[in-house]
Amino acid sequence: MSKYQVDANGFYGEFGGAFIPEMLYPNIEELRQEYRQILSSESFQQEYQQLLRDYVGRPTPLYFASRLSEHYGARIYLKREDLCHTGAHKVNNTVGQILLARHLGKSRIIAETGAGQHGVATATVCALMGMPCIVYMGEVDIARQAPNVARMKMLGAEVRPARSGSRTLKDATNEAIRDWINNPEDTHYIIGSVVGPHPYPDLVARLQAIISEEIKEQLLAAEGTEDPDVLVACVGGGSNAAGTYYHYLDREHVEIIAAEAAGLGVDTGESAATSALGKMGIIHASKTLLMQTDDGQITEPYSISAGLDYPGVGPLHAHLFKSGRAKFVPVTDAEAMEAGQELARLEGIIPAIETAHGFAVLKKGHIAKDSLAVINLSGRGDKDLQTYMDYFKLSE
Ligand SMILES: *Cc1c(COP(=O)(O)O)cnc(C)c1O
């Protein structure tokens, strides 16, 4: 049994579990009992693989970045999740979960979203399947993320504002959970990352594992080996990273690097670097590393990247950090923005700002000369153009 897979009780080492209110128990229990069997069934796999191919556009290329490689003196491949339909890896998960929902006999979908990317990916698959979609989103986030709100509405989803607390992601999640408790019969809750109560972290990791499944095959064809020296991904909740690492977790000779958002700097009070700043706590019904005050109040995180602006990290990643299996590298806003511009100018690819955090590990010297590296290009930067423009004063 792998040290890095979830155990029978839903834990990765000391992290994970399902710390849920009593009223949520039937929903979670139904999912826990059914998910593995459904995911491995032939009918699920057939439909999932077909949609990944014809709708999402998989397999995504593994691209040898020659100018970037030359610049850093390494052999660098990019896994092009930015070329997925909707522009990022998140749709791998929502396609899988909506099929799971149908197998469970559910007819109504709910989701939470912060930056809106997961809301868009969920609204997309609901339109595809003709299922009603309700996305809970903090009132503050609705105002900040207007283009994604417009996308969700265009796709036919209902966006319900969360008006309590700080009116951001945490509050949207609370509203979604309340909805689920009130509608246990017909509703499936699609969580957007490897977070939340067991079995969600494992479910989402399995649905994103297609990323490393393809990397193995593609690297073998290109380089004659399945194993790079080092794998790099950015970590918000941790789903694109979990997918990138999944089939390599037990291959300890493959180094794993996780780039996390340090905001203005780890020690500035304006950061989202969970491994550096987090302590054991419970968020979204899961025991994990969490940024909190001395008396256990969740600290408001900060990052220029909306998708990494999360005060915790999935329990798998807390375990990878604690066990030393993964090296966590905090990346500041400025380092990420520079890396994003560098990738645009060297390779003609504008990455999402989340993704740019992963590329910053190059300039920070974490990729040894001559090594074979794979960096997961989790999403495209179209949604971030205004932020790039403002940051680099490109409109002047
Ligand atoms: C949402 C998002 C992330 C962060 O989420 P994870 O669950 O950590 O992958 C990273 N990159 C992109 C492009 C995203 O949209």
Side-chain angles (χ1 to χ4, degrees), residues 47-190:
E47 226 178 336
Y48 181 53
Q49 297 301 337
Q50 188 180 349
L51 282 173
L52 288 182
R53 189 187 67 210
D54 300 339
Y55 189 71
V56 176
R58 304 204 74 92
T60 59
L62 184 70
Y63 165 68
F64 178 66
S66 59
R67 298 230 302 142
L68 192 69
S69 294
E70 195 178 329
H71 191 74
Y72 286 105
R75 290 187 69 72
I76 304 168
Y77 283 84
L78 313 183
K79 184 57 175 159
R80 298 292 307 273
E81 294 302 294
D82 59 316
L83 297 178
C84 290
H85 177 48
T86 70
H89 66 287
K90 286 199 172 73
V91 72
N92 301 326
N93 169 46
T94 58
V95 163
Q97 283 206 48
I98 200 144
L99 292 176
L100 176 67
R102 270 207 332 211
H103 278 259
L104 289 167
K106 310 291 181 183
S107 57
R108 175 177 177 270
I109 298 295
I110 58 171
E112 85 297 336
T113 197
Q117 294 298 107
H118 173 57
V120 170
T122 303
T124 298
V125 297
C126 287
L128 176 68
M129 296 292 166
M131 278 160 92
C133 179
I134 292 147
V135 180
Y136 290 92
M137 190 169 185
E139 213 168 36
V140 169
D141 290 332
I142 289 178
R144 301 198 271 215
Q145 310 289 343
N148 278 338
V149 175
R151 276 185 203 112
M152 287 183 260
K153 291 187 172 168
M154 184 68 189
L155 291 160
E158 183 192 339
V159 181
R160 283 197 192 159
R163 298 200 169 92
S164 61
S166 56
R167 295 174 292 147
T168 57
L169 179 60
K170 165 171 66 64
D171 314 290
T173 305
N174 290 339
E175 295 286 334
I177 288 173
R178 200 164 305 149
D179 180 314
W180 207 21
I181 289 171
N182 290 327
N183 300 283
E185 296 295 326
D186 67 343
T187 298
H188 176 66
Y189 177 18
I190 299 187

Side-chain angles (χ1 to χ4, degrees), residues 87-90 117 192-194 234-241 307-308 352 354-355 378-380 383:
H89 66 287
K90 286 199 172 73
Q117 294 298 107
S193 191
V194 287
C234 66
V235 173
S239 68
N240 87 86
L308 303 184
E354 290 84 357
T355 312
S378 59
R380 67 177 85 123
K383 68 184 179 60

Side-chain angles (χ1 to χ4, degrees), residues 250-265:
D250 291 314
R251 302 186 184 187
E252 307 252 359
H253 54 279
V254 177
E255 186 186 3
I256 289 176
I257 295 182
E260 61 182 1
L264 299 184

Side-chain angles (χ1 to χ4, degrees), residues 118-365:
H118 173 57
V120 170
T122 303
T124 298
V125 297
C126 287
L128 176 68
M129 296 292 166
M131 278 160 92
C133 179
I134 292 147
V135 180
Y136 290 92
M137 190 169 185
E139 213 168 36
V140 169
D141 290 332
I142 289 178
R144 301 198 271 215
Q145 310 289 343
N148 278 338
V149 175
R151 276 185 203 112
M152 287 183 260
K153 291 187 172 168
M154 184 68 189
L155 291 160
E158 183 192 339
V159 181
R160 283 197 192 159
R163 298 200 169 92
S164 61
S166 56
R167 295 174 292 147
T168 57
L169 179 60
K170 165 171 66 64
D171 314 290
T173 305
N174 290 339
E175 295 286 334
I177 288 173
R178 200 164 305 149
D179 180 314
W180 207 21
I181 289 171
N182 290 327
N183 300 283
E185 296 295 326
D186 67 343
T187 298
H188 176 66
Y189 177 18
I190 299 187
I191 290 185
S193 191
V194 287
V195 300
H198 178 66
Y200 277 103
D202 185 49
L203 167 62
V204 177
R206 283 166 187 262
L207 293 173
Q208 292 291 358
I210 185 72
I211 299 173
S212 48
E213 198 177 309
E214 289 175 3
I215 292 174
K216 281 199 305 177
E217 221 169 275
Q218 293 168 322
L219 203 62
L220 182 63
E223 291 279 336
T225 173
E226 289 184 349
D227 297 349
D229 296 313
V230 55
L231 280 170
V232 182
C234 66
V235 173
S239 68
N240 87 86
T244 304
Y245 309 155
Y246 195 84
H247 291 285
Y248 291 102
L249 289 170
D250 291 314
R251 302 186 184 187
E252 307 252 359
H253 54 279
V254 177
E255 186 186 3
I256 289 176
I257 295 182
E260 61 182 1
L264 299 184
V266 170
D267 299 319
T268 60
E270 298 290 333
S271 181
T274 306
S275 81
L277 298 168
K279 287 185 301 237
M280 180 80 101
I282 290 177
I283 183 170
H284 300 152
S286 175
K287 194 187 258 192
T288 189
L289 290 173
L290 174 63
M291 289 167 46
Q292 52 191 301
T293 60
D294 287 337
D295 53 356
Q297 298 294 316
I298 295 174
T299 316
E300 201 59 43
Y302 164 79
S303 165
I304 194 167
S305 142
L308 303 184
D309 196 351
Y310 181 70
V313 66
L316 164 65
H317 296 290
H319 181 51
L320 294 179
F321 172 71
K322 196 74 185 287
S323 65
R325 176 69 186 93
K327 174 169 157 188
F328 278 67
V329 176
V331 171
T332 64
D333 289 358
E335 290 165 339
M337 297 302 275
E338 292 293 337
Q341 190 178 53
E342 182 176 82
L343 186 67
R345 305 267 162 108
L346 283 176
E347 295 288 346
I349 300 170
I350 304 171
I353 297 175
E354 290 84 357
T355 312
H357 284 72
F359 284 83
V361 308
L362 289 165
K363 187 161 275 173
K364 290 170 73 72

